[in-house]
Amino acid sequence: MRIMEGRAVDRLTWQQYEGKYRSTIYAAVKAANPEWEPGQPFSPGILDKRYKGIRSD
């Protein structure tokens, strides 16, 4: 973390961002279906329920 103009700036590299994104998706799917393993399909509705109200458009 760097300090710029008196405030902390936390910047992620694309690899760090991707890792956090994957971890978040994994945790959400695993919480909804403990039997799920990476590589298996899952219902996108799991993410809809988890992130209801968050929009990217």
Side-chain angles (χ1 to χ4, degrees):
M1 185 179 331
R2 295 186 309 153
I3 304 295
M4 288 182 62
E5 297 178 22
R7 59 189 170 108
V9 177
D10 188 13
R11 294 186 181 182
L12 300 177
T13 65
W14 280 112
Q15 288 178 329
Q16 291 170 319
Y17 177 81
E18 182 182 17
K20 288 179 181 280
Y21 180 82
R22 285 183 182 203
S23 296
T24 301
I25 299 298
Y26 176 88
V29 175
K30 197 71 168 173
N33 180 2
E35 301 296 319
W36 177 81
E37 293 295 327
Q40 294 178 333
F42 62 88
S43 169
I46 291 171
L47 301 179
D48 291 341
K49 290 176 188 172
R50 173 86 176 194
Y51 298 104
K52 185 177 181 180
I54 298 176
R55 298 187 64 153
S56 62
D57 55 335

